[in-house]
Amino acid sequence: MAALGLLMLGVTLPNSYWRVSTVSGNVITTNTIFENLWYSCATDSMGVSNCWEFPSMLALSGYVQGCRALMITAILLGFLGLFLGMVGLRCTNVGNIDLSVKVKMLAIAGTFHILAGTCGMVAISWYAVNITTDFFNPLYVGTKYELGPALYLGWSASLLSILGGICLFSTCCCASKEEPATRTRLSYKTSTVVIPKATSDEGNVSFGEYGKNAYV
């Protein structure tokens, strides 16, 4: 789930349809405008699209810059969590890492995935709040937009990342609790061989049975 969430976050970031223009309450036009965090595009009635990047980062709205930073941070945290999660698996052997160290690495990986999902969720929700605020504002005279498909994809990706991180974290916590019991149950015991000793009565009986001449 965490890996799938990371992949979906990577697809959400460059997706062009973060918001799409609407004709609700406006004059019907033949152009459709759609934007993401990096550029804006317009499609005419013939299906021809023209895109242009935002000219200046400092001229952008604060929420767009914040969403950029949060999405990039989410992807970086997801990659770190994925790397630590692969190294921390019991089936992988990298440098003879101890099992207790692998458990800690899985816990850190789960935390990174939870943080990645949280950053993605905050970025998508922040962007969606600004869209809905302008849409329902009767005094707003600019182009009104609706939620694009990329936002729903981002919400799903963030939720998968959070759930995957929680599963990783809970798994390593259960493993750390079971580890001492397993060691106690499978404690190594040295094998002992008991050699029976002959009693004095048996020696006397055997000596008396054969007599002294039997050993000459």
Side-chain angles (χ1 to χ4, degrees):
M1 286 191 294
L4 181 59
L6 175 61
L7 178 62
M8 293 172 63
L9 282 175
V11 174
T12 302
L13 182 59
N15 194 293
S16 302
Y17 294 91
W18 279 58
R19 63 178 182 176
V20 183
S21 61
T22 181
V23 296
S24 176
N26 296 330
V27 178
I28 298 177
T29 61
T30 57
N31 292 337
T32 301
I33 303 174
F34 50 93
E35 296 182 354
N36 63 0
L37 299 177
W38 312 99
Y39 53 84
S40 177
C41 297
T43 304
D44 57 15
S45 59
M46 302 297 294
V48 179
S49 299
N50 295 318
C51 299
W52 58 92
E53 296 182 357
F54 297 131
S56 175
M57 184 182 69
L58 297 179
L60 292 175
S61 302
Y63 77 93
V64 176
Q65 300 182 28
C67 290
R68 283 183 177 183
L70 286 172
M71 288 297 295
I72 294 174
T73 303
I75 293 177
L76 290 177
L77 289 174
F79 271 115
L80 288 176
L82 184 63
F83 174 75
L84 291 177
M86 293 176 63
V87 175
L89 292 176
R90 293 189 178 185
C91 58
T92 58
N93 188 10
V94 180
N96 295 325
I97 302 176
D98 189 63
L99 183 59
S100 60
V101 178
K102 287 191 172 186
V103 170
K104 295 178 181 178
M105 293 178 68
L106 281 179
I108 297 174
T111 304
F112 280 165
H113 283 299
I114 294 174
L115 291 176
T118 303
C119 290
M121 187 72 71
V122 171
I124 300 297
S125 301
W126 191 5
Y127 197 88
V129 165
N130 283 272
I131 294 175
T132 54
T133 301
D134 294 338
F135 185 86
F136 292 108
N137 185 7
L139 301 178
Y140 184 75
V141 295
T143 304
K144 293 187 177 183
Y145 295 88
E146 293 184 355
L147 304 180
L151 298 184
Y152 299 100
L153 181 64
W155 275 319
S156 303
S158 302
L159 183 60
L160 283 176
S161 296
I162 293 175
L163 291 178
I166 292 175
C167 291
L168 269 178
F169 195 84
S170 61
T171 301
C172 69
C173 290
C174 294
S176 61
K177 292 179 181 179
E178 294 176 357
E179 185 182 356
T182 305
R183 289 182 176 179
T184 304
R185 185 171 59 253
L186 301 178
S187 57
Y188 177 74
K189 296 181 180 181
T190 58
S191 59
T192 57
V193 178
V194 179
I195 302 177
K197 296 182 179 180
T199 58
S200 58
D201 295 338
E202 294 177 352
N204 295 333
V205 171
S206 60
F207 181 77
E209 181 180 359
Y210 293 99
K212 294 181 180 181
N213 296 328
Y215 295 95
V216 179

